[in-house]
Amino acid sequence: MSRLNSFRELEHLRERLREQRQNITTTVMVCGGTGCKASRSQAVIDAVRDELSRQGLDTKVRLCVTGCHGFCEQGPVIIIEPSNIFYCHVSPEDAFEIVYQTVVKGEVIERLLYTDPVSGKTARIMSEVPFYQAQDRQILSQNLNVDPCSIEDYIVAGGYSALTKVLRGMTSENIIKEIVSSGLRGRGGGGFPTGRKWIECRDAPGDEKYVICNADEGDPGAYMDRCVLEGNPHLVLEGMMIGAWAIGARKGYIYVRNEYPLAVDHSRTAVEQARELGLLGDNILGSSFSFDVDIARGGGAFVCGESTALMASVAGKVGEPRPKDIHTVVDGLYHKPTALNNVETWANVPSIILNGSSWFASKGSQGSKGTKILALTGRVKNTGLVEVAMGTPIRTVVFDIGGGAVNGNGVKAVQTGGPSGGCLPVDKFDLPIDFDVLYKAGSMIGSGGMVVMDEETCMVDVAKYFLTFLQDESCGKCLPCRLGIDRMLEIITDITEGRGKPEQLDLLEELADTVAQTALCGLGKTAPNPVLSTLRYFRTEYEAHINEKKCLAGVCKALITYSIDPDKCNGCGVCLRGCVYGAITGIKKQVHIIDAQLCQKCGICRSDCKFDAIRVA
Amino acid sequence: MPPQTLEQTLEGRRSQPNQLIEVLQDIQKNYGYISKEAMQIVSQELGVPLIEVYRVASFYKAFRLKPSGKNVLTMCMGTACHVRGARLLLDQATGQLGVKQGEVTPDGLFSVEHVNCLGACALGPIIAENGSYHNHMTPAKLRKLIETLRRQQIEDKQNVPAK
Amino acid sequence: MLQYVNVNIDGAIIRATKGTSVLDTALEYGICIPHLCHVPYLSDIGACRLCIVEHVANGRSNVTTSCTLNVEEGMVIMTNTDRIRRLRRNLAELLVAQAPNSRAIQDIALRCGVREVRYPFRNEDCVLCGRCVRVCTEVWKARAIGFVGRGKDRHVDYPFGIRPDFCKQCGSCIQLCPMTIPPCGGPMKPGEECLCSNCESQLIIADEMVGSCVWCKLGEGFACGRYV
C-alpha cells in the first residue's frame, strides 16, 4: 500500500477497504492469542483456513485471526459473525463441521457451545455467556474483528480517526483538556491523573521529549496489557500518537517485557505497517506532526516496570531506579522530559477523543472514571480478563462474573494489585473497584490483577510468596529493600516452619513500616503491603502458626503431615510408584502407609490419587 | 534458519551504547548463553566499558552466562500458577532431575529455570519447554514430559550415526 | 557566579549554594546528618538511606534522602524528628545485623540509637555502599570494578571476577571501605557477632541530646564529610 499524504487519502483508503469487504457474508474469528496458542489454536487456524479454501468459500467468508478475548480457559475459541456464535474448546477436527454446518448452513453445533458451570445452561452466542454478560468491554471488545497483524482491519474498524480528528483541528490545549476532564488515571498501578502528567511534560523546558508505553507488565497473574498489545497494537499506537502531539514529542518507545514474544512481534509489525502508510514518520497525513516509535525489549526484570528503571533499560543500562526528587516528566529518558503511561492508559485515549470526556466520565465512581480491565485468576470458576466500569463491587466480579469458588470451597480472600497490593477478606467484597477506596482498605487496584483465594490458601504463605518474589526481583541498591525484605522473609519463614515467636509479629510490623517509608522506589515502598494487609485481616492465621504451630489451610509443609485414609485407600499403588522420595510402602490391594520421616510433603501422591485417600492435617 | 553470527548482530549497532540489551538478547537467542569472549567483543564494538557489559548481562534474568541444558524447563511461578500448586512442579522437576534451579544435569540434557509469570494465567500451572507452553500441568504430567523428552534425546542420538 | 537560596533546616535559616544537596548544606553548617554512602567528592546515590530527613511541602511531610535532594528557596527540612530517628534507628539496626564486623558500622549503629539487635547476626564483608565502585569509576575512571548481579546476589566484582590489567592497584577502593576497620575488640568470628558497646561514640548519642548536633567520628581513615 502506498503512503497516505492527507486525511482525505486515509478516508478514501477506509472506504475502499470497506467496499472490498462488502461481499463478505461471514467472518470466522479464531483466537491466536498466547493463551489459545498454548491450547494449540494454530492447528485450528490452519484447519479452518484449509477447510474454507477446500469448500471454495475464500471470497465470501473472511478468516480473521484475532488477539485474546480474555476467556483463555475455554480456548481455542472461535466467534462467528454476524450471528455472534461462540464456540469453545475447538479442535482442528471440528473445522469441517464448523465450516459446513455453521458457516454454510447457519446451524449451531451444540457440543462446541459454552456451558456455564454454575447454571448448567448453554450459551448460543457470545453475549449470552454469563462471563461476558456482566462486563463492559470497551477496550477488549475492540479485539474482535481485528487481526493484530493487519493495519487494514484496524482502519476498516474505524482506526486512526481519532488521530485525524486531533491533527485536523485540536490544539494541545484542547486535547489535554479532554483528557483532564475525562478523569483518566494511570492504569498501570499508580493511578496518577493522566492529564496532569501530560501538562507537566508539555510545560517542562526542552524541545526534545519522549512518550513511552510501559508494557513491562511484571505483576504475576496479570496479563491485561499482553492481551491489548498483542490483540490490538494499533489502538495503543494511536493513543501514543495523540499524546505525543499534545506534549510535543517526536519519538516514542514501546517497552515490552521479554516474556511476551507475541506482543513484541505484533508491536513490531504494527510499527512497520504504520510507517509504510506514513502514519509514523515525517509530516503524518500531510500535517506538521512528525513522530516515530521503536520497540524496546525488557530483559526479565520486574523492577523495570518502575519508570526510572524502565528508562535506564531503554538506554541499555541496568534497571536500577533512581530517586524521584525530580520527576521523569522533567528529567526522564536521556534526561529529557518523558511521559510514560501504561498500555491500557494509552488504549483509552482514542475513544476519549472520539466520544468526548463526558462519555468517559459518565462511567465509574467519583474519583475513578471509565472502565478497568482486571485479570481474574486463582480459585474461581471462570478465570480470565474482565473489563468492568470502575465502582463495580468486588463481589460482582468474583461471584457474578467469576462464578464463585471452585470445588465448593468458600472464597476466603482476593488479592489485588500484585506484589504491591494486599489481600481483602470476603467481608470487604462490597468495596468497589476504585483507586482511593481500595488504597484506604490496605490494598490497591494496581495493574488489575485479582487472585481469588479459598480455604486451601494459607495467607501467611501468600505473604511469603510475595516476599520471595520481591526478593528475587529487587535491584538490591538500597538498604531497606535489600535487607528489609530479606529479614521480613526470614521472620515469615520462621513462622511458617514452626519457629515463630509472638514478639516477631510486632517486629514484622515495625520493619514493614520502616521499609515502606524509607525505600528508594515503588518496589521497596510497596513491598510490605502483602505482609501488612494479611496481618491486618488474617492475624489469627499468623497467631495459629506461632502459638499452636498449626497451618489451618494445610499448606505450610513443616506444620502438616500427610497420611493415607485407610477407609478410602484401595491399595492401587499409584502413589507408591509416584513418590520420588520412597516414603510410601504397601502391598498391592492393601492399605498403603506414608513414612512421615521420609515424606517431603511434595503433594505428588495427593494429586495422583484418584480416590481422594491422601489426608493433610 | 541458521543462527545469526556475532557480526550480523552487531551490524548497524556499532558505537551505540543504548543497543546493549538488544545485542545481548540476540546473542542469547543465537548461542544460548553469553560468553566472556562475546562480552569482550560487544564492549569494544558498542563502546561500553567491559564492567558495564558484565553488569547488564548479570542483572537481567533473560541472559545466561553459562550454557544451559538441551531442554530448558521453565516453570512459571506467577501468583495464579502458585495458588494452583506451581511450587510442587518445581520440587518435582528438581527432585526428579537431581539438580538445583539454574543448574544443568550431568548428561547436559536438562536444566530447570523459573520465570515470574508468562501471562497465560488462566491456563496455569504452566511450564515452557523450548518455546512451547504446556498448560494445566500436574506433577504426574511433568514426570511423563521429562521421560518423553529424555527418550527423544536418546532416540535422536541413536539416529545420528544411521544417517 | 554562585547563587544562593535560603533553606530552613531544623529551624535554622541557612544560606545555601544553589545546586548543592541538603546533606552537603547541613554538614557544612554543622548539622550532622548520619550517612554512609556519601563521600564529598563522589556522586550521591541515595543507597544507604541513613541520611533521610523530613521534607515539609504542601502540608505534607515526605521522608527522603538529603543527599539526593537539592536545596530550593524556602525549603523546610527537619533532620531529627521522632519519626526520622525511629526510622534511622531501624535502618542502622538492619545494617549492623548484616555486617557487625566493622568499627565504622558499629559506630553508625550506636550513633543512630541502636541499643539492641532483634535479628540474627550475619557476618557479611560488604555493605554495598558503593564507595569503592564510585571512586574507581569517577575519580580514576579505570572502571575496574562495578556492581554485578541483582538483589540478594548484588556484589562488587571485577569483570568476570578476574582483576583486569587496567586495575593499577591504587588502593583507593580499600581506603574508602568501611569494612576494613576492625571492631575495637578485634575481628568477630562467625557465631560470635554482637552489638559492640566499646566505642567512644556511645558517649554522645542523638537520643539524649534532642535537636543538637550529633558528634560523630567514623574511625580513622574513614572521614566523615565534616572533618575534611
Side-chain angles (χ1 to χ4, degrees):
Chain A
M1 284 187 297
S2 54
R3 194 173 196 275
L4 302 168
N5 291 312
S6 68
F7 307 121
R8 199 167 303 152
E9 281 179 35
L10 172 60
E11 290 315 308
H12 278 171
L13 176 61
R14 204 194 305 280
E15 276 165 34
R16 233 179 29 247
L17 289 170
R18 282 181 177 163
E19 261 169 55
Q20 275 170 10
R21 294 180 185 197
Q22 261 174 0
N23 294 328
I24 306 282
T25 51
T26 316
T27 308
V28 178
M29 299 182 257
V30 189
C31 178
T34 300
C36 283
K37 273 242 168 85
S39 297
R40 313 278 180 262
S41 73
Q42 187 58 51
V44 176
I45 295 168
D46 294 334
V48 173
R49 182 178 290 125
D50 289 341
E51 203 47 54
L52 285 172
S53 172
R54 217 179 56 80
Q55 294 189 33
L57 296 163
D58 308 56
T59 47
K60 285 235 168 76
V61 180
R62 182 172 143 246
L63 170 66
C64 181
V65 180
T66 64
C68 178
H69 301 293
F71 210 359
C72 309
E73 243 168 347
Q74 305 301 321
V77 159
I78 291 189
I79 299 160
I80 299 174
E81 293 288 17
S83 39
N84 198 226
I85 293 175
F86 184 82
Y87 286 146
C88 52
H89 296 303
V90 179
S91 35
E93 295 73 50
D94 299 323
F96 170 74
E97 241 183 293
I98 292 173
V99 175
Y100 188 61
Q101 295 283 117
T102 310
V103 176
V104 176
K105 298 215 285 197
E107 282 166 15
V108 154
I109 304 167
E110 294 289 331
R111 71 162 193 289
L112 292 176
L113 291 177
Y114 171 76
T115 307
D116 184 49
V118 182
S119 66
K121 288 209 226 121
T122 45
R124 225 187 90 103
I125 55 179
M126 192 173 176
S127 50
E128 272 174 23
V129 176
F131 178 74
Y132 288 120
Q133 254 175 347
Q135 296 186 41
D136 186 2
R137 295 167 71 87
Q138 294 297 323
I139 296 182
L140 291 181
S141 61
Q142 296 186 51
N143 272 14
L144 291 166
N145 255 316
V146 168
D147 178 336
C149 298
S150 159
I151 194 172
E152 289 100 339
D153 278 9
Y154 187 65
I155 291 174
V156 164
Y160 291 115
S161 30
L163 177 68
T164 307
K165 180 173 177 181
V166 152
L167 292 178
R168 247 194 164 132
M170 283 181 87
T171 59
S172 163
E173 296 297 331
N174 293 354
I175 299 168
I176 294 186
K177 209 169 93 188
E178 279 295 278
I179 302 296
V180 170
S181 343
S182 72
L184 177 64
R185 287 169 71 168
R187 294 288 191 257
F192 190 83
T194 309
R196 200 164 90 197
K197 181 181 282 191
W198 290 13
I199 291 173
E200 284 175 20
C201 191
R202 184 199 57 192
D203 293 345
D207 277 333
E208 205 183 319
K209 300 188 178 162
Y210 294 99
V211 291
I212 298 185
C213 172
N214 185 345
D216 193 52
E217 196 166 55
D219 279 2
Y223 57 108
M224 305 74 59
D225 294 347
R226 163 177 85 60
C227 173
V228 174
L229 193 57
E230 231 177 54
N232 206 345
H234 286 284
L235 179 62
V236 178
L237 266 182
E238 194 178 357
M240 287 174 75
M241 291 176 191
I242 293 168
W245 172 244
I247 290 165
R250 284 190 299 277
K251 185 70 196 272
Y253 288 93
I254 302 182
Y255 184 85
V256 190
R257 69 194 293 248
N258 200 39
E259 295 86 336
Y260 285 172
L262 217 51
V264 173
D265 273 342
H266 291 184
S267 315
R268 282 202 173 127
T269 307
V271 165
E272 275 159 24
Q273 290 177 342
R275 281 184 186 147
E276 208 188 310
L277 280 185
L279 287 163
L280 281 175
D282 292 327
N283 300 110
I284 295 172
L285 296 176
S287 71
S288 59
F289 180 47
S290 300
F291 178 63
D292 196 22
V293 172
D294 270 329
I295 312 295
R297 280 180 290 176
F302 170 78
V303 68
C304 286
E306 197 272 346
S307 58
T308 58
L310 191 155
M311 292 177 198
S313 189
V314 171
K317 303 207 165 93
V318 288
E320 277 174 16
R322 65 151 177 84
K324 283 213 270 221
D325 298 283
I326 302 176
H327 294 286
T328 49
V329 283
V330 172
D331 180 344
L333 180 63
Y334 303 120
H335 297 293
K336 308 285 184 218
T338 307
L340 181 145
N341 279 118
N342 171 266
V343 170
E344 201 183 330
T345 312
W346 290 121
N348 269 296
V349 170
S351 50
I352 292 176
I353 296 296
L354 285 177
N355 302 328
S357 55
S358 351
W359 162 83
F360 189 81
S362 67
K363 282 188 223 275
S365 60
Q366 176 71 6
S368 309
K369 299 290 181 198
T371 58
K372 178 77 189 81
I373 306 177
L374 305 165
L376 183 66
T377 58
R379 316 281 286 177
V380 74
K381 287 208 177 69
N382 300 321
T383 65
L385 295 179
V386 172
E387 189 175 351
V388 290
M390 292 277 203
T392 304
I394 296 176
R395 187 174 300 284
T396 309
V397 178
V398 176
F399 293 107
D400 297 345
I401 300 175
V406 286
N407 302 341
N409 284 327
V411 171
K412 183 156 88 172
V414 75
Q415 201 280 336
T416 65
S420 304
C423 300
L424 293 170
V426 175
D427 59 22
K428 290 267 173 289
F429 277 21
D430 288 320
L431 289 178
I433 306 286
D434 178 296
F435 287 112
D436 309 306
V437 173
L438 290 187
Y439 183 74
K440 272 206 200 75
S443 183
M444 61 158 84
I445 296 184
S447 62
M450 259 179 116
V451 185
V452 179
M453 299 168 173
D454 63 9
E455 300 299 331
E456 289 183 12
T457 315
C458 171
M459 302 315 284
V460 186
D461 181 67
V462 167
K464 186 164 111 173
Y465 165 78
F466 280 117
L467 284 176
T468 311
F469 171 83
L470 289 164
Q471 187 191 55
D472 200 29
E473 297 290 348
S474 161
C475 80
K477 177 154 89 171
C478 79
L479 192 152
C481 178
R482 189 181 71 244
L483 297 182
I485 293 180
D486 196 20
R487 294 295 186 170
M488 280 196 278
L489 184 54
E490 193 181 60
I491 295 173
I492 287 215
T493 306
D494 277 351
I495 294 176
T496 56
E497 289 179 6
R499 293 184 302 270
K501 299 193 202 67
E503 56 268 19
Q504 278 183 311
L505 282 187
D506 294 326
L507 178 57
L508 192 56
E509 261 171 334
E510 193 180 336
L511 179 53
D513 177 60
T514 300
V515 174
Q517 291 198 60
T518 60
L520 190 152
C521 81
L523 188 153
K525 285 198 172 89
T526 57
N529 286 353
V531 174
L532 287 173
S533 67
T534 47
L535 271 174
R536 179 172 168 182
Y537 295 116
F538 300 97
R539 207 183 178 92
T540 46
E541 282 196 43
Y542 281 89
E543 284 164 357
H545 280 70
I546 293 176
N547 300 330
E548 294 148 57
K549 309 282 187 263
K550 264 196 170 55
C551 175
L552 299 166
V555 171
C556 298
K557 289 190 183 173
L559 305 179
I560 53 172
T561 12
Y562 272 61
S563 59
I564 296 180
D565 187 340
D567 294 329
K568 292 219 174 128
C569 176
N570 69 354
C572 70
V574 164
C575 58
L576 193 158
R577 284 194 291 282
C579 180
V580 193
Y581 304 100
I584 305 183
T585 49
I587 310 169
K588 218 173 163 78
K589 298 274 174 47
Q590 288 188 14
V591 172
H592 282 46
I593 300 179
I594 297 177
D595 182 340
Q597 303 280 29
L598 294 171
C599 173
Q600 299 296 314
K601 295 139 192 172
C602 66
I604 292 179
C605 56
R606 195 171 175 209
S607 75
D608 280 352
C609 179
K610 295 193 179 33
F611 304 96
D612 192 30
I614 308 283
R615 291 271 147 276
V616 178
Chain B
M1 200 180 86
Q4 232 183 18
T5 60
L6 193 47
E7 183 57 42
Q8 286 170 310
T9 303
L10 287 167
E11 205 171 297
R13 289 162 163 171
R14 289 194 160 81
S15 303
Q16 291 179 59
N18 62 11
Q19 290 295 307
L20 178 58
I21 295 178
E22 287 291 316
V23 166
L24 289 177
Q25 267 167 342
D26 286 343
I27 295 175
Q28 173 67 40
K29 195 162 88 150
N30 290 309
Y31 295 92
Y33 78 112
I34 319 240
S35 65
K36 252 170 64 182
E37 294 72 32
M39 282 193 252
Q40 273 158 340
I41 296 174
V42 169
S43 165
Q44 253 174 290
E45 297 296 316
L46 250 48
V48 177
L50 185 58
I51 186 70
E52 198 53 39
V53 178
Y54 185 54
R55 192 179 177 206
V56 169
S58 65
F59 182 90
Y60 292 104
K61 283 268 165 57
F63 307 134
R64 289 189 204 107
L65 300 180
K66 284 191 269 210
S68 56
K70 282 216 174 62
N71 298 294
V72 184
L73 297 170
T74 308
M75 322 260 142
C76 180
M77 287 290 144
T79 318
C81 291
H82 174 78
V83 299
R84 286 186 182 183
R87 187 83 229 167
L88 299 177
L89 292 176
L90 189 59
D91 292 344
Q92 161 75 0
T94 50
Q96 186 171 349
L97 293 169
V99 280
K100 292 211 265 292
Q101 262 189 83
E103 283 178 13
V104 185
T105 52
D107 55 10
L109 284 182
F110 294 99
S111 49
V112 179
E113 315 253 340
H114 81 269
V115 72
N116 285 326
C117 192
L118 288 165
C121 311
L123 300 165
I126 301 224
I127 296 183
E129 164 261 318
N130 298 330
S132 46
Y133 289 7
H134 299 263
N135 44 8
H136 293 305
M137 287 301 280
T138 62
K141 280 193 196 169
L142 177 56
R143 186 169 59 240
K144 282 209 193 78
L145 175 64
I146 293 176
E147 283 164 14
T148 310
L149 289 169
R150 199 190 291 275
R151 239 181 299 124
Q152 232 164 42
Q153 291 293 334
I154 299 175
E155 278 169 14
D156 287 346
K157 273 213 186 92
Q158 287 174 340
N159 283 337
V160 168
K163 283 186 191 158
Chain C
M1 244 269 294
L2 283 180
Q3 277 185 304
Y4 298 99
V5 293
N6 295 312
V7 296
N8 175 338
I9 303 183
D10 289 341
I13 308 295
I14 297 174
R15 196 174 78 141
T17 315
K18 204 162 185 210
T20 58
S21 66
V22 169
L23 178 63
D24 281 332
T25 304
L27 290 178
E28 187 168 338
Y29 277 86
I31 300 173
C32 184
I33 301 173
H35 52 277
L36 171 58
C37 63
H38 165 79
V39 176
Y41 49 88
L42 298 176
S43 66
D44 288 311
I45 55 174
C48 72
R49 317 305 288 172
L50 288 173
C51 67
I52 45 172
V53 294
E54 285 196 51
H55 175 200
V56 186
N58 303 326
R60 277 199 330 227
S61 175
N62 293 327
V63 171
T64 185
T65 43
S66 48
C67 63
T68 55
L69 185 63
N70 280 353
V71 291
E72 268 164 46
E73 180 63 42
M75 207 175 226
V76 177
I77 302 288
M78 297 193 287
T79 72
N80 222 5
T81 59
D82 282 343
R83 181 181 173 194
I84 288 292
R85 285 178 330 171
R86 183 176 55 87
L87 292 173
R88 211 187 276 145
R89 188 180 62 229
N90 286 336
L91 289 173
E93 184 186 357
L94 283 169
L95 180 64
V96 76
Q98 190 75 4
N101 219 345
S102 146
R103 182 173 164 196
I105 302 294
Q106 294 272 1
D107 256 10
I108 289 175
L110 272 155
R111 185 156 48 80
C112 293
V114 178
R115 295 287 210 287
E116 53 157 352
V117 177
R118 297 166 292 181
Y119 310 103
F121 277 100
R122 296 186 191 156
N123 207 333
E124 298 297 321
D125 53 17
C126 175
V127 285
L128 296 157
C129 63
R131 289 170 158 231
C132 55
V133 172
R134 278 174 288 145
V135 74
C136 187
T137 306
E138 295 168 22
V139 173
W140 300 110
K141 307 206 199 304
R143 311 208 71 150
I145 50 173
F147 280 119
V148 297
R150 187 174 92 189
K152 231 181 147 190
D153 186 46
R154 181 181 164 98
H155 59 285
V156 178
D157 210 348
Y158 303 111
F160 317 124
I162 305 164
R163 188 173 67 79
D165 55 12
F166 49 86
C167 161
K168 303 302 180 196
Q169 297 182 287
C170 68
S172 301
C173 48
I174 301 171
Q175 252 194 322
L176 284 179
C177 176
M179 299 307 296
T180 56
I181 310 155
C184 309
M188 296 182 184
K189 295 201 190 68
E192 291 172 13
E193 306 92 352
C194 62
L195 184 65
C196 152
S197 316
N198 295 334
C199 303
E200 61 260 43
S201 62
Q202 71 173 311
L203 295 173
I204 301 173
I205 298 177
D207 267 6
E208 281 164 28
M209 297 181 132
V210 177
S212 73
C213 150
V214 178
W215 182 81
C216 57
K217 185 173 169 152
L218 279 178
E220 279 128 292
F222 187 73
C224 164
R226 218 179 139 207
Y227 288 94
V228 163

